[in-house]
Amino acid sequence: SLLPKYRGRAPVNWAVLKGERESGATLHRMAAKPDAGAIVAQQAVPILPDDTAVEVFRKVTVAAELALDRALPALLAGTAEHRPQDLEHGSYFGRRTAADGRIDWSAGSRAVHDLVRAVAPPYPGAHASAAGHTLKVWRTLPATGPGAARPVLRWQDGEARALCHDAALRLLEFEIDGSIRDAAAFHARFGADEGTLGAIFFGANILAGISALSAGWLARRFGLLGVGELQVAEEGVKGLGDGEHSVSP
């Protein structure tokens, strides 16, 4: 990373997750604190809006080579400048685990997209679970068009999309229950009756005012579940949990 920012573990993943537009490599002296030694050389690289962590890591690898090549003559001559870090204006992040890839759909489309980019292969990937279904997401792109009042996974414009409250995401690489791995398979399994989009946004608070018989019929008809769970309906509309959380530093 460009120290003193993103000291600690997995700096590239954290930078992508946080939506940074720049990362890089820093050549520094070893010190007792992690990544706290005096800086000898740095080389920045851009992070494009849709770069995955591994793509940024490859850029940083080249940046490290450039920084070392530039600083090596002065290091060998003993004349290299050593610039102390201002740790008060930096940041430190800890290790990440596979569990940190859980998607918080309520965070909005940009935050979900950044999470997917940060944990895309070779890392474990972003994931969500609901109603007994397991969703894994490895690649997304922002989509045109509005989002939905409640997060929904649906067939739209010939592809699988996740609609957050603010905008939609195209699911380019994903997996549901280990078998549905592309838009065609998603369409074959769940259909594409887009006209039902507004029909299943019922939470438990709304169902409380409906008779038990009506509520039971709605649950069987549309796969209604409690608030925050994936609503499985054969019409091609799946609500995504809005009670899940991704890691925060």
Side-chain angles (χ1 to χ4, degrees), residues 9-211:
R9 305 286 189 89
V12 170
N13 305 78
W14 279 112
V16 173
L17 177 65
K18 296 296 183 179
E20 296 284 359
R21 298 303 303 271
E22 185 181 62
S23 185
T26 300
L27 179 63
H28 63 92
R29 294 188 65 87
M30 297 296 291
K33 289 184 177 180
D35 301 328
I39 294 172
V40 177
Q42 290 184 307
Q43 179 66 49
V45 298
I47 302 178
L48 301 183
D50 302 317
D51 278 349
T52 65
V54 70
E55 290 169 340
V56 178
F57 184 82
R58 294 188 184 113
K59 297 180 186 181
V60 172
T61 299
V62 176
E65 295 174 351
L66 293 173
L68 179 59
D69 180 69
R70 188 169 62 249
L72 190 57
L75 285 171
L76 293 175
T79 59
E81 180 183 355
H82 293 74
R83 175 166 52 89
Q85 294 191 51
D86 183 0
L87 299 184
E88 291 186 359
H89 290 85
S91 55
Y92 181 89
F93 292 86
R95 64 188 297 268
R96 295 184 59 82
T97 68
D100 297 329
R102 180 175 293 181
I103 299 171
D104 176 8
W105 300 100
S106 67
S109 59
R110 186 70 238 180
V112 173
H113 182 53
D114 290 342
L115 172 65
V116 172
R117 297 189 301 125
V119 297
Y123 304 102
H127 59 87
S129 61
H133 293 266
T134 299
L135 170 67
K136 297 180 180 180
V137 185
W138 295 298
R139 193 90 186 199
T140 57
L141 281 177
T144 57
R150 178 167 184 155
V152 170
L153 178 64
R154 68 180 298 188
W155 173 266
Q156 188 178 67
D157 295 336
E159 59 191 8
R161 292 188 176 184
L163 278 65
C164 298
H165 64 84
D166 57 345
L169 288 174
R170 302 169 59 198
L171 302 188
L172 302 185
E173 297 178 21
F174 65 96
E175 179 182 280
I176 300 176
D177 293 339
S179 58
I180 300 173
R181 297 186 175 91
D182 55 38
F186 178 89
H187 178 256
R189 170 63 180 84
F190 297 112
D193 186 358
E194 296 185 7
T196 64
L197 176 61
I200 68 167
F201 291 109
F202 296 94
N205 58 332
I206 298 177
L207 286 178
I210 305 175
S211 70

